[in-house]
Amino acid sequence: MNAQVIEYIEWIAAAFGLVNVFLLTRQTLWAWPAGLTSVFLYAFVFYHSKLYSDVMLHTIYVVLNAFGWYKWSSKNSTQTEALSVSTLRNSERFFWLLAILVGFVIWGYFLHKNTDASFAFADAFILMASLCAQYLLAIKKLENWVIWIIVDVVAISIYYLKELYVTSVLYAVYLLICILGYVEWKKSLKLIRQ
């Protein structure tokens, strides 16, 4: 496919991605449809850049965005109000850290040995950490923002090296928005606990 077309799609995906992350910091339901648009387009861009873990990640994001949209918009029998921000217990934090570490080592090794993937281990880390962060975001756990901040730092470098400059800049902006998201959700958490 023509490089100009890929770049154009990348710009559109980036715009929807920015809207998505900003609206998530504000805990707005409209974040999810913007996120779905962004992840569909990015799956296509990453496929053409041979970042296969990112293709897989963005395909799974479709499901996780639908799940988040559902969780944020519905009440189950035990909820009397909308889902609110909470934190993980220490044992849960350890579980998620272990899941990220084991997952990225195994997947990175598989990619390195069996594909022509670029930056196999870094790409695998982005995949595993992002999946965990996206799930935690969908269930409104504060720690999701910490994971996203780490993912963004890694992703900025990888995308820059792959000459995905728009996406690299996007992840730099995501980094700033994720810091804002952490601060905003922490404030929300304090209000809930009062």
Side-chain angles (χ1 to χ4, degrees):
M1 173 153 290
N2 183 324
Q4 273 188 310
V5 173
I6 297 296
E7 186 177 352
Y8 179 69
I9 294 169
E10 183 184 8
W11 275 99
I12 296 169
F16 276 100
L18 279 174
V19 170
N20 169 250
V21 176
F22 177 75
L23 292 176
L24 287 169
T25 68
R26 301 291 179 201
Q27 300 182 52
T28 302
L29 191 60
W30 288 104
W32 299 105
L36 280 168
T37 304
S38 179
V39 298
F40 272 121
L41 295 173
Y42 262 120
F44 183 78
V45 169
F46 290 134
Y47 175 79
H48 285 280
S49 298
K50 294 184 178 183
L51 292 170
Y52 303 127
S53 289
D54 280 309
V55 175
M56 181 194 301
L57 173 63
H58 283 74
T59 303
I60 295 169
Y61 275 166
V62 171
V63 175
L64 288 173
N65 271 271
F67 174 71
W69 197 351
Y70 168 76
K71 287 294 283 183
W72 284 30
S73 63
S74 64
K75 297 175 189 170
N76 64 35
S77 60
T78 61
Q79 288 178 283
T80 56
E81 10 181 290
L83 188 63
S84 58
V85 177
S86 61
T87 59
L88 297 170
R89 294 184 308 267
N90 285 335
S91 61
E92 293 171 319
R93 288 182 184 135
F94 177 75
F95 168 80
W96 289 106
L97 176 62
L98 188 62
I100 291 168
L101 292 174
V102 170
F104 107 79
V105 168
I106 292 170
W107 185 245
Y109 182 78
F110 173 82
L111 288 176
H112 177 71
K113 289 294 184 187
N114 298 297
T115 72
D116 63 345
S118 298
F119 305 103
F121 286 95
D123 197 29
F125 171 79
I126 291 169
L127 170 71
M128 293 302 166
S130 295
L131 288 175
C132 293
Q134 187 70 22
Y135 178 78
L136 294 174
L137 176 66
I139 60 171
K140 283 197 174 178
K141 296 296 182 181
L142 179 66
E143 291 83 355
N144 88 83
W145 294 113
V146 175
I147 299 170
W148 280 126
I149 289 166
I150 296 166
V151 166
D152 291 342
V153 169
V154 174
I156 290 165
S157 303
I158 297 306
Y159 299 148
Y160 181 82
L161 292 170
K162 287 301 293 181
E163 298 181 4
L164 295 170
Y165 301 122
V166 173
T167 304
S168 186
V169 170
L170 173 66
Y171 274 74
V173 175
Y174 280 168
L175 177 60
L176 298 174
I177 295 173
C178 287
I179 293 167
L180 171 68
Y182 180 82
V183 170
E184 291 295 321
W185 281 33
K186 185 116 175 150
K187 285 180 193 173
S188 179
L189 185 62
K190 284 181 183 176
L191 290 174
I192 292 166
R193 289 180 174 170
Q194 288 180 348

